[in-house]
């Protein structure tokens, strides 16, 4: 989701690696240890929670979290909690990073000191105040000065434990006095409207004359006075602990903010990028050049793959760079084994296009392994008391056999784009190494087994197969399975040489049969052959998402079928928070269902073809945040509340994507509910009034590929701009005689330049396109700076990020002058 600003869209995303905590304070009990977990919060809103690490003061989490940030925020915060089975979990400490400081820690492991959490620091949001100092002439002719403080409203206050019942205190404080007044309490809202005025007497009445309105001592008093505003409750908390007593937390944070113009701004740079597959040689193309100048190939691969996928050019591009890499490869045994631009692009393509292929292939058995906890340790040294080595081997063998079978039988489900890429790899490898009959297989298996299935088994949480890291025993089982599957898929001639551990070599004897090699080759043949797929043959429902949400329901008739659900509420008193019930929701590519608890029989089943729109619901409808609506035929609507803004966005996106091709999708909708006899959004009184707001823009029907081409081009522009010195050095290298005549000078040897003339032409276009975009961004910032008003709702007083922005713009203006 983009935050709209005048003239452009702003996309925010964050990728976080939560490493470990150390030196946490001991528990005040006999065992001293703690059971701790870590949460990720946007301001005070929790969006992610790690697993619980038991009985440790130095817990290791090792969990990754990525999300698109759907709203503005001021702090990215991390809280360490100590689980308490009997009482509410207690906060040990927190790390709070201001938004403007995130770049300081960009993409590097950093230890942060845990800070104490007190109530004052947890109050966040915006308050709208008006202050007016006035002279008041009394009936007796004397003058005093009064300060009128009007508290209008607040926005974005934190919701703690599902509640927010705010009131405010306003205090006029000076050296010799302190006077406080408070507003009324506003129940169940984090956007309270107070609109209360308080009057404070600032100076003592004095005789009225034109020379002096107050005594000299009053002047000193006024200079030292201040107005203080607090949201209650205020609590000093337990501040006996010093910050260095709380321990520390290791984090790696990558925050990205993309400012995206309209599509026509990107046409010159986008065009030169999309022509990359047709440039001869491909090393002279814009996409290949990006891979050459970036510090890591992964940096270039992510936006390039997404851009080419969006415009349907990924297969010819990967075919071109793969063919060039194969031509440079001397040994067939090392084909596609390095971290080249080709391998990184194919990895990224498989992650995007193959995520749901993994879900349908591996998730059922991965779930079983995580839940059943069969002992599978086959290292004699690591056996636990009471475990039998032969039993463990048999348990592991059965798991490997089952996973191997589902993989090699899944060829028909392999996404078309992956199959087309594998076909190209197979053809290039077979043509380059005509004397090696196995290379057509190893070229494909090096990706599908070694870089797709094996990593997904090893770390299922990174491929959305499990919500968290598995427990240590399960993780060990998955490691052993992954090693075996990787070896089975490699088709190497000496299997035992792949294992450093003797117990693994012994275990592999179970699979040292020709039928396994034949199954692998048949599978590889299927996924790397063109024109062999029948999409209609895939009947098995694919689980796309599941989890606990809240919903409100109202019966239309007396039966218990799904038809009754979801009539719009007729009165707020009858449909408050108590009407929202927790239910377990499941979405497959066939239907959207919910049940009372996970595993129960569905209470309601909505076929995907009956979803006509999925849109956000404005907070005013039920005074509840993070709500959305699923609209069905006959004007039935399901009102649902997610736990946080990120979860709400995820559900809206995936429901919208999976229903995108429905023939009767709506074009307009009501962003608010029908309550008290009218629509809250447009005030229309008829409940069958057509929607008053256009539905959100269409998303790609393919649920894996929700890609914004302009955003990806903006990211590529940012990379080119970041590495402009390298671009200029590469351009210089193209004109160097050593590049033409060889050998290359050492300072240019890091670049692949097969054709200096063509490469120079492309570099010139890139530098020109980047320069034009840089000018547009600079002009936008100047225009925005001129229009910005400090103290407005968009840029409130106390917003440090805006103060930093003002300082930067002032420096830029001074430098220009």
């Amino acid at each position: 989701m983009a935050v709209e600003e005048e003239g452009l869209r702003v996309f925010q995303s964050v990728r976080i690696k939560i490493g470990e905590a150390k030196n946490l304070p001991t528990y005040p009990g006999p065992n001293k240890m703690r059971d701790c977990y870590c949460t990720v919060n946007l301001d005070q809103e929790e969006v992610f929670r790690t697993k619980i690490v038991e009985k440790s003061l130095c817990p290791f989490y090792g969990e990754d979290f990525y999300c698109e940030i759907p709203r503005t925020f001021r702090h990215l915060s991390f809280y360490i909690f100590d689980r308490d089975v009997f009482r509410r979990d207690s906060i040990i400490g927190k790390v709070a990073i201001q938004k403007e400081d995130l770049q300081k820690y960009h993409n590097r492991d950093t230890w942060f000191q845990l800070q104490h959490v007190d109530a004052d620091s947890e109050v966040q949001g915006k308050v709208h105040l008006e202050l007016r100092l006035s002279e008041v002439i009394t009936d007796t002719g004397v003058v005093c000065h009064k300060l009128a403080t009007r508290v209008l409203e607040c926005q974005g206050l934190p919701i703690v434990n599902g509640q927010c019942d705010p009131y405010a205190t306003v205090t006029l404080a000076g050296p010799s006095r302190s006077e406080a007044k408070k507003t009324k309490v506003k129940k169940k809202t984090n956007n309270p409207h107070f609109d209360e005025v308080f009057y404070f007497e600032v100076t003592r009445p004095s005789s009225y004359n034109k020379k002096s309105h107050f005594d000299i001592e009053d002047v000193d008093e006024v200079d030292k006075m201040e107005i203080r505003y607090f949201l209650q409750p205020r609590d000093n908390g337990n501040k006996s602990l010093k910050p260095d007593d709380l321990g520390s937390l290791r984090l790696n944070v990558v925050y990205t903010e993309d400012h995206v113009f309209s599509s026509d701004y990107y046409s010159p740079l986008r065009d030169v990028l999309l022509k990359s597959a047709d440039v001869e040689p491909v090393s002279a193309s814009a996409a290949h050049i990006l891979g050459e100048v970036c510090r890591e190939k992964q940096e270039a691969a992510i936006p390039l793959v997404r851009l080419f996928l969006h415009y349907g050019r990924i297969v010819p591009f990967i075919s071109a760079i793969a063919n060039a890499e194969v031509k440079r490869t001397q040994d067939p045994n090392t084909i596609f084994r390095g971290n080249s631009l080709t391998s990184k692009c194919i990895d990224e393509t498989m992650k995007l296009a193959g995520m749901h292929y993994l879900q349908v292939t591996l998730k059922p058995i991965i779930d079983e392994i995580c839940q059943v906890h069969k002992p599978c340790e086959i290292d004699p040294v690591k056996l636990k008391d009471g475990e039998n080595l032969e039993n463990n081997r048999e348990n592991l063998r059965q798991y490997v056999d089952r996973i191997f079978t589902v993989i090699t039988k899944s060829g028909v489900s392999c996404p078309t784009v992956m199959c087309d890429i594998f076909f190209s790899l197979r053809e290039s490898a077979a043509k380059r190494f005509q004397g090696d009959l196995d290379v057509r297989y190893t070229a494909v298996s090096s990706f599908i087994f070694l870089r797709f299935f094996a990593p997904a088994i090893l770390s299922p949480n990174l491929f959305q197969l499990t919500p968290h890291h598995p427990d240590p025993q399960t993780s060990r089982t998955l490691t052993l399975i992954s090693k075996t599957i990787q070896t089975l898929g490699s088709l190497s001639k000496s299997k035992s040489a792949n294992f450093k551990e003797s117990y693994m070599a012994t275990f592999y004897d179970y699979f040292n049969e020709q039928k396994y090699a034949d199954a692998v080759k048949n599978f590889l043949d299927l996924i790397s052959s063109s024109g062999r797929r029948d999409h209609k043959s895939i009947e098995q429902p694919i689980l796309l998402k599941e989890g606990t949400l809240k919903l409100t329901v109202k019966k239309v008739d007396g039966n218990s079928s799904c038809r009754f659900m979801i009539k719009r509420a007729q009165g707020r008193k009858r449909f408050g928070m108590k009407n929202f019930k927790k239910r377990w929701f499941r979405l497959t590519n066939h239907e959207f269902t919910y049940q009372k608890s996970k595993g129960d029989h569905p209470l309601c089943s909505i076929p995907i073809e009956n979803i006509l729109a999925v849109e956000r619901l404005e907070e005013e409808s039920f005074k509840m945040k993070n709500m959305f609506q699923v609209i069905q035929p006959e004007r039935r609507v399901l009102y649902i509340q997610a736990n946080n803004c990120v979860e709400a966005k995820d559900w809206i996106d995936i429901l919208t994507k999976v229903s995108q091709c429905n023939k009767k999708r709506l074009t307009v909708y009501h962003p608010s509910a029908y309550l008290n006899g009218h629509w809250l959004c447009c005030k229309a009184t008829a409940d069958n009034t057509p929607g008053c707001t256009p539905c959100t823009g269409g998303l790609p029907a393919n649920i894996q590929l929700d890609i914004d081409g302009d955003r990806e081009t903006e990211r590529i522009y940012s990379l080119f701009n970041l590495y402009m010195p390298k671009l200029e050095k590469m351009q210089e290298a193209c004109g160097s005689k050593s590049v033409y005549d060889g050998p290359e000078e050492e300072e240019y040897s890091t670049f692949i330049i097969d054709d200096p003339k063509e490469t120079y032409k492309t570099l010139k276009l890139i530098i020109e396109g980047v320069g034009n975009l840089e000018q547009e961004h600079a002009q936008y910032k100047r225009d925005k700076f001129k229009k910005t008003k400090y103290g407005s709702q968009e840029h409130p007083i106390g917003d440090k990020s805006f103060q930093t922005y003002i300082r930067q713009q002032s420096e830029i203006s001074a430098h220009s002058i």
Side-chain angles (χ1 to χ4, degrees):
M1 179 187 296
V3 179
E4 297 287 340
E5 291 187 4
E6 185 180 352
L8 85 170
R9 296 170 296 149
V10 181
F11 293 88
Q12 304 173 100
S13 64
V14 65
R15 190 181 304 276
I16 302 164
K17 293 182 180 179
I18 303 172
E20 59 188 311
K22 68 177 182 181
N23 301 330
L24 299 181
T26 57
Y27 185 77
N31 62 13
K32 306 294 185 183
M33 294 293 104
R34 294 181 182 269
D35 300 338
C36 297
Y37 60 90
C38 179
T39 67
V40 180
N41 296 54
L42 294 175
D43 297 322
Q44 261 64 55
E45 184 178 7
E46 181 183 320
V47 295
F48 178 74
R49 180 179 294 199
T50 68
K51 64 187 176 184
I52 296 172
V53 177
E54 298 180 339
K55 299 178 181 178
S56 175
L57 298 179
C58 296
F60 177 81
Y61 299 106
E63 298 199 37
D64 296 334
F65 172 64
Y66 172 83
C67 76
E68 296 284 335
I69 300 176
R71 63 170 176 81
T72 58
F73 71 100
R74 296 184 67 185
H75 290 83
L76 182 65
S77 302
F78 304 83
Y79 291 80
I80 298 291
F81 283 86
D82 184 15
R83 181 184 60 176
D84 193 314
V85 177
F86 303 105
R87 301 189 303 275
R88 208 174 88 194
D89 295 353
S90 58
I91 299 177
I92 296 175
K94 73 170 184 177
V95 172
I97 308 174
Q98 292 183 358
K99 179 182 176 182
E100 58 269 22
D101 291 335
L102 287 171
Q103 286 300 322
K104 296 179 184 177
Y105 314 106
H106 182 78
N107 199 21
R108 58 187 177 89
D109 280 4
T110 306
W111 283 96
F112 293 89
Q113 193 75 46
L114 288 173
Q115 302 297 319
H116 185 73
V117 177
D118 61 79
D120 285 353
S121 71
E122 297 302 288
V123 175
Q124 294 183 356
K126 298 178 184 178
V127 59
H128 187 183
L129 299 175
E130 287 183 1
L131 302 176
R132 181 175 296 129
L133 184 65
S134 304
E135 284 186 347
V136 179
I137 304 176
T138 65
D139 293 338
T140 59
V142 296
V143 171
C144 68
H145 290 77
K146 289 191 175 182
L147 177 68
T149 305
R150 184 183 180 191
V151 183
L152 286 94
E153 60 178 324
C154 295
Q155 289 186 355
L157 304 182
I159 296 176
V160 181
N161 296 325
Q163 295 183 334
C164 188
D165 300 330
Y167 66 93
T169 61
V170 182
T171 304
L172 182 67
S176 60
R177 64 173 169 142
S178 179
E179 183 180 358
K181 300 182 181 183
K182 62 171 276 200
T183 68
K184 296 177 182 177
V185 176
K186 298 295 180 179
K187 292 286 188 178
K188 297 179 181 178
T189 177
N190 69 328
N191 295 309
H193 289 263
F194 295 109
D195 202 7
E196 296 187 41
V197 181
F198 303 112
Y199 293 95
F200 296 92
E201 187 177 278
V202 177
T203 59
R204 295 190 299 272
S206 61
S207 300
Y208 182 79
N209 62 70
K210 293 183 180 180
K211 292 183 179 180
S212 174
H213 295 174
F214 38 76
D215 299 333
I216 295 297
E217 59 269 26
D218 288 331
V219 175
D220 294 336
E221 178 88 0
V222 170
D223 287 345
K224 296 175 183 177
M225 282 185 176
E226 63 181 20
I227 199 80
R228 296 174 181 167
Y229 175 87
F230 279 101
L231 281 168
Q232 297 296 310
R234 270 188 296 157
D235 176 17
N236 290 331
N238 178 16
K239 297 189 177 180
S240 60
L241 288 174
K242 298 178 181 178
D244 57 359
D245 291 331
L246 300 179
S248 53
L249 179 65
R250 180 166 60 88
L251 302 168
N252 186 305
V253 180
V254 177
Y255 170 73
T256 304
E257 189 173 286
D258 300 315
H259 294 76
V260 182
F261 292 109
S262 57
S263 190
D264 54 307
Y265 283 85
Y266 299 102
S267 293
L269 183 59
R270 182 175 57 237
D271 290 347
V272 73
L273 286 162
L274 292 177
K275 291 175 182 175
S276 294
D278 304 319
V279 173
E280 287 288 346
V282 71
S283 60
S285 68
H288 194 278
I289 289 171
L290 181 64
E292 290 296 290
V293 298
C294 282
R295 185 180 62 179
E296 298 177 0
K297 303 295 184 186
Q298 185 79 358
E299 277 186 298
I302 292 175
L304 284 175
V305 165
R306 297 177 70 88
L307 181 72
F308 285 117
L309 275 170
H310 181 72
Y311 287 101
R313 298 285 294 160
I314 190 65
V315 175
F317 169 64
I318 287 183
S319 297
I321 59 174
N323 191 50
E325 181 173 332
V326 169
K327 288 180 179 178
R328 291 193 294 268
T329 303
Q330 301 301 316
D331 183 354
N333 293 317
T334 62
I335 194 167
F336 300 128
R337 293 300 174 94
N339 289 321
S340 62
L341 182 63
T342 303
S343 57
K344 291 298 184 183
C345 284
I346 297 176
D347 287 350
E348 190 63 25
T349 303
M350 291 192 299
K351 282 183 182 178
L352 288 170
M355 192 62 72
H356 293 92
Y357 175 37
L358 284 175
Q359 294 276 332
V360 72
T361 307
L362 294 182
K363 185 170 173 52
I365 190 168
I366 295 289
D367 285 343
E368 180 185 328
I369 293 169
C370 292
Q371 293 165 11
V372 176
H373 292 101
K374 281 185 180 180
C376 295
E377 182 56 69
I378 59 173
D379 183 352
V381 178
K382 295 182 179 180
L383 281 183
K384 295 180 181 177
D385 291 341
E387 288 185 352
N388 181 280
L389 183 59
E390 289 304 316
N391 289 344
N392 287 9
R393 281 178 179 161
E394 179 58 20
N395 290 339
L396 185 61
R397 187 194 65 78
Q398 290 180 11
Y399 279 146
V400 171
D401 241 338
R402 289 173 58 189
I403 287 183
F404 178 81
T405 301
V406 297
I407 289 174
T408 52
K409 297 288 186 184
S410 69
V412 71
S413 302
C414 187
T416 304
V417 67
M418 287 171 60
C419 295
D420 291 342
I421 289 170
F422 295 151
F423 174 75
S424 176
L425 300 181
R426 175 190 180 109
E427 293 298 296
S428 292
K431 184 177 179 181
R432 173 73 173 88
F433 301 103
Q434 297 180 15
D436 190 328
L437 298 180
D438 283 338
V439 75
R440 67 190 64 200
Y441 295 114
T442 55
V444 178
S445 68
S446 64
F447 287 104
I448 194 68
F449 279 102
L450 274 63
R451 305 175 81 114
F452 187 63
F453 282 122
I457 297 167
L458 182 66
S459 303
N461 58 300
L462 299 183
F463 292 81
Q464 300 179 21
L465 297 175
T466 59
H468 303 294
H469 273 288
D471 61 81
Q473 179 184 326
T474 304
S475 183
R476 173 63 175 166
T477 299
L478 295 174
T479 299
L480 296 172
I481 295 171
S482 179
K483 282 185 175 183
T484 313
I485 291 295
Q486 180 173 319
T487 305
L488 279 167
S490 68
L491 290 172
S492 60
K493 296 178 177 61
S494 177
K495 302 292 186 182
S496 59
N498 290 322
F499 298 111
K500 297 178 182 178
E501 310 93 341
S502 58
Y503 62 85
M504 284 300 299
T506 302
F507 174 70
Y508 196 81
D509 287 341
Y510 285 123
F511 307 98
N512 206 4
E513 299 179 30
Q514 188 59 37
K515 67 175 183 179
Y516 290 101
D518 292 342
V520 169
K521 287 185 177 182
N522 290 338
F523 169 67
L524 297 175
D525 280 335
L526 182 60
I527 65 172
S528 60
S529 302
S530 56
R532 87 287 168 272
R533 280 175 54 84
D534 178 9
H535 293 279
K536 296 179 181 179
S537 68
I538 305 172
E539 297 295 338
Q540 184 179 359
I542 302 173
L543 177 63
L544 304 176
K545 190 173 178 65
E546 61 182 345
T548 301
L549 302 168
K550 290 182 181 179
L551 83 157
T552 185
V553 301
K554 181 187 178 186
K555 293 188 179 181
V556 177
D557 52 44
N559 67 40
S560 60
S561 72
C562 188
R563 292 191 308 105
F564 69 64
M565 318 287 320
I566 350 178
K567 196 69 176 176
R568 295 183 175 92
Q570 300 300 313
R572 181 173 292 151
K573 290 183 180 179
R574 296 177 60 193
F575 282 83
M577 292 181 69
K578 291 182 179 179
N579 296 89
F580 283 81
K581 307 296 183 183
K582 285 188 177 182
R583 294 291 182 261
W584 183 263
F585 284 77
R586 294 181 86 251
L587 175 66
T588 72
N589 57 336
H590 291 186
E591 61 183 356
F592 182 46
T593 64
Y594 66 81
Q595 50 228 56
K596 191 168 184 179
S597 301
K598 185 177 182 180
D600 290 350
H601 185 76
L603 298 173
C604 172
S605 175
I606 304 171
I608 294 300
E609 57 267 24
N610 283 356
I611 298 177
L612 306 186
V614 184
E615 300 289 348
R616 290 187 176 273
L617 186 71
E618 290 181 353
E619 185 181 335
E620 64 172 337
S621 299
F622 299 102
K623 300 296 182 183
M624 295 168 66
K625 294 171 71 69
N626 305 319
M627 291 201 65
F628 63 95
Q629 51 185 314
V630 180
I631 306 172
Q632 303 168 70
E634 301 178 13
R635 301 189 179 278
R636 297 195 299 268
V637 182
L638 194 64
Y639 292 134
I640 302 173
Q641 185 190 32
N643 293 317
N644 57 65
C645 61
V646 171
E647 185 179 64
K649 179 182 182 298
D650 287 346
W651 277 104
I652 292 170
D653 283 353
I654 198 165
L655 282 164
T656 301
K657 291 176 223 172
V658 80
S659 62
Q660 189 64 44
C661 291
N662 292 348
K663 295 179 180 178
K664 296 183 180 180
R665 277 190 63 84
L666 299 179
T667 57
V668 292
Y669 78 106
H670 290 285
S672 292
Y674 185 81
L675 298 171
N676 301 324
H678 68 276
W679 290 102
L680 297 181
C681 42
C682 60
K683 309 305 179 186
T685 55
D687 67 351
N688 61 350
T689 303
C692 57
T693 302
C695 288
T696 53
L699 295 168
N702 186 329
I703 59 173
Q704 296 94 0
L705 307 179
D706 179 14
I707 296 171
D708 187 309
D710 296 332
R711 182 184 183 184
E712 301 310 323
T713 313
E714 168 67 24
R715 284 178 167 178
I716 293 171
Y717 145 75
S718 297
L719 286 171
F720 275 136
N721 199 38
L722 176 65
Y723 293 110
M724 183 58 72
K726 283 192 175 183
L727 286 174
E728 292 170 345
K729 191 171 183 179
M730 195 174 186
Q731 192 176 40
E732 179 185 314
C734 290
S736 169
K737 189 173 185 295
S738 65
V739 173
Y740 284 93
D741 301 335
E744 295 182 9
E745 293 181 17
E746 188 174 337
E747 60 179 316
Y748 302 139
S749 61
T750 55
F751 302 127
I752 295 177
I753 303 176
D754 296 319
D755 188 327
K757 187 176 180 180
E758 286 299 317
T759 306
Y760 186 90
K761 288 181 182 177
T762 306
L763 282 163
K764 186 177 179 181
L765 292 173
I766 293 170
I767 293 171
E768 184 179 299
V770 170
N772 290 338
L773 282 170
E774 177 69 7
Q775 289 180 15
E776 295 293 346
H777 278 287
Q779 185 61 49
Y780 175 82
K781 289 178 181 178
R782 286 193 292 270
D783 293 344
K784 182 180 178 182
F785 179 67
K786 291 176 183 177
K787 298 175 184 177
T788 299
K789 183 179 180 181
Y790 189 43
S792 64
Q793 180 178 348
E794 294 76 18
H795 301 295
I797 295 171
D799 185 347
K800 293 184 180 179
S801 61
F802 178 64
Q803 292 172 338
T804 302
Y805 172 74
I806 287 181
R807 185 175 65 252
Q808 291 173 345
Q809 294 305 308
S810 299
E811 290 171 356
I812 291 171
S813 299
H815 180 71
S816 300
I817 293 172

